Amino acid sequence: MDQISKMTDSLQRPLRDLRISVTDRCNFRCRYCMPKELFGPDHLFLPKDQLLGFEEIARLARIFASLGVEKIRITGGEPLLRKELPNLIRMLRSIEGVNDVTLTTNGSLLAKYAEELKNAGLQRINVSLDSIDENRFGQMNGGRCDVRTVMEGIDAASKAGMKVKVNMVVIRGINDQDIVPMARFFRGTGHILRYIEFMDVGNSNGWNLKHVVSKQEIIERIHAEMPLERMRSDYLGEVADRYRYEGTDEEIGVISSVTDSFCSTCTRARLSADGFLYTCLFASQGTDLRSLIRSGAEDEEIRRLIMGVWGSRRDRYSDERLLHTKNPEKKKIEMSYIGG
């Protein structure tokens, strides 16, 4: 354990979280991730044989756990499009050292799979919902789903016994008028609402700083009607700044990687659906682990490679955002490929 606890990157950040994308496919066309103008019916997704199998994913997860990973989040694309996903959850839950397995979903298929996911061992789930107004929600997701369907999924997850967090990406001029209505709607439900500043992930979402509603503005809007007080972080690397309604234990959160970055405490690695390791959400390139696995490499060889990649990690994209965005030639991995 001493070796694990001391393994840090070049900026002294430990490896504690692993986000695993199980597919690059999604049934939504959200404007901040897979805008329908660019991800049309002719878009080529990864062929099945390039995706990591569940046994391959679990093997890599065990190696990451031996290096200090304690929390795993399953992402996509839309992860519930991956067949037999509860089987993977069972495999990940059995890994020694992993004490938390979560999943992020758009909620469209959640009502169908909630009970099965809970029975597989999933305790927590994050559901994306960018508005409770039908028209604006349709604008955000490319007209692929309605609010009722997502709410049915949230209700099913809650009924099954899972803790639910609801994520809202806020874009000025599109859905920022729903900041306070979302807070009103979810207050008293037991679900934690989290607002996410619109980020420049990938190269396809038309990001511009003027479309960003800052953490400060989000909190000020809510505080004007429902007074808030700041809460302390639960752990190193927590991505959301936490607030609670005054006089209650009900909390909300804001993820502010644009206006108030948290690079200095980032403990997250990412594994793409085709087995590439990325050390930042805004990365340009990754490290191929799939080829190692399929060429017969031993666990120790893969472990040493991961240690080398993490040990030399210097990513600070959100700290240096303005420098990077002035260079339009820099290409980043799309969020639908690497996971949110």
Side-chain angles (χ1 to χ4, degrees):
M1 289 300 294
D2 287 343
Q3 181 182 3
I4 291 174
S5 65
K6 292 177 182 177
M7 198 189 88
T8 58
D9 67 11
S10 63
L11 300 177
Q12 304 307 304
R13 296 169 295 188
L15 173 60
R16 290 290 180 268
D17 303 82
L18 178 63
R19 301 194 172 181
I20 301 173
S21 174
V22 295
T23 180
D24 62 330
R25 297 173 183 268
C26 187
N27 53 348
F28 280 18
R29 289 297 178 266
C30 295
R31 59 195 311 139
Y32 52 81
C33 181
M34 297 178 69
K36 60 184 178 181
E37 297 83 5
L38 297 176
F39 291 83
D42 296 329
H43 179 74
L44 294 177
F45 292 100
L46 290 168
K48 187 175 180 180
D49 63 351
Q50 290 187 21
L51 300 179
L52 288 179
F54 288 171
E55 292 79 10
E56 292 173 323
I57 292 173
R59 180 185 175 193
L60 286 173
R62 282 192 293 272
I63 295 171
F64 275 98
S66 77
L67 295 171
V69 163
E70 301 169 351
K71 305 174 76 172
I72 294 176
R73 175 177 296 176
I74 300 170
T75 70
E78 170 46 48
L80 294 183
L81 291 175
R82 183 74 185 259
K83 292 182 178 179
E84 309 293 337
L85 188 65
N87 291 339
L88 176 62
I89 292 170
R90 289 188 185 91
M91 297 166 76
L92 298 176
R93 288 283 296 170
S94 69
I95 295 174
E96 183 179 357
V98 174
N99 55 39
D100 191 16
V101 178
T102 64
L103 181 145
T104 296
T105 174
N106 61 32
S108 61
L109 300 171
L110 186 53
K112 179 179 179 181
Y113 292 112
E115 191 71 33
E116 194 175 352
L117 292 168
K118 180 62 169 62
N119 291 340
L122 196 69
Q123 302 294 324
R124 300 193 298 116
I125 195 161
N126 291 359
V127 181
S128 299
L129 180 63
D130 297 319
S131 177
I132 52 171
D133 178 271
E134 289 289 2
N135 290 330
R136 284 190 289 275
F137 184 52
Q139 277 186 283
M140 292 292 286
N141 68 42
R144 297 299 185 94
C145 188
D146 56 25
V147 174
R148 177 185 57 81
T149 299
V150 178
M151 286 306 307
E152 287 175 351
I154 291 172
D155 291 343
S158 182
K159 185 177 180 181
M162 287 185 279
K163 183 178 180 181
V164 178
K165 290 183 179 178
V166 178
N167 292 339
M168 175 188 179
V169 175
V170 182
I171 303 179
R172 190 180 300 281
I174 304 295
N175 69 333
D176 61 302
Q177 61 268 59
D178 295 316
I179 291 171
V180 175
M182 286 281 284
R184 290 193 205 111
F185 184 85
F186 283 102
R187 187 173 182 180
T189 63
H191 309 317
I192 297 175
L193 176 61
R194 302 196 305 181
Y195 301 90
I196 303 174
E197 291 180 348
F198 178 37
M199 294 183 290
D200 50 326
V201 182
N203 315 285
S204 306
N205 66 6
W207 185 87
N208 189 303
L209 186 59
K210 69 182 181 181
H211 297 145
V212 176
V213 182
S214 70
K215 175 184 72 176
Q216 180 179 350
E217 183 177 344
I218 291 169
I219 293 303
E220 286 175 352
R221 290 199 200 184
I222 299 168
H223 183 77
E225 179 177 321
M226 294 167 277
L228 297 167
E229 55 189 11
R230 183 71 182 267
M231 299 174 65
R232 288 188 300 181
S233 296
D234 269 346
Y235 54 88
L236 176 71
E238 186 170 28
V239 297
D241 288 318
R242 300 165 61 219
Y243 298 81
R244 63 185 165 209
Y245 299 109
E246 286 185 0
T248 77
D249 291 327
E250 281 192 89
E251 70 173 84
I252 64 170
V254 184
I255 298 173
S256 57
S257 78
V258 177
T259 65
D260 187 14
S261 74
F262 39 83
C263 293
S264 64
T265 58
C266 179
T267 61
R268 291 172 296 285
R270 289 174 163 82
L271 184 64
S272 68
D274 57 349
F276 280 72
L277 167 62
Y278 293 88
T279 56
C280 181
L281 179 60
F282 305 94
S284 297
Q285 58 185 4
T287 301
D288 183 2
L289 301 182
R290 185 190 64 195
S291 293
L292 266 183
I293 287 179
R294 295 185 179 178
S295 66
E298 299 290 336
D299 284 4
E300 187 56 32
E301 182 181 352
I302 299 170
R303 189 174 186 270
R304 286 197 302 268
L305 176 60
I306 295 170
M307 290 177 68
V309 171
W310 190 264
S312 61
R313 175 187 186 235
R314 301 187 59 83
D315 303 293
R316 294 175 56 240
Y317 180 87
S318 289
D319 284 347
E320 302 169 337
R321 176 174 272 102
L322 292 181
L323 175 65
H324 288 298
T325 53
K326 289 177 181 177
N327 177 18
E329 299 302 316
K330 176 180 170 61
K331 298 298 182 183
K332 295 167 290 183
I333 301 301
E334 296 294 342
M335 186 161 63
S336 57
Y337 172 80
I338 194 177

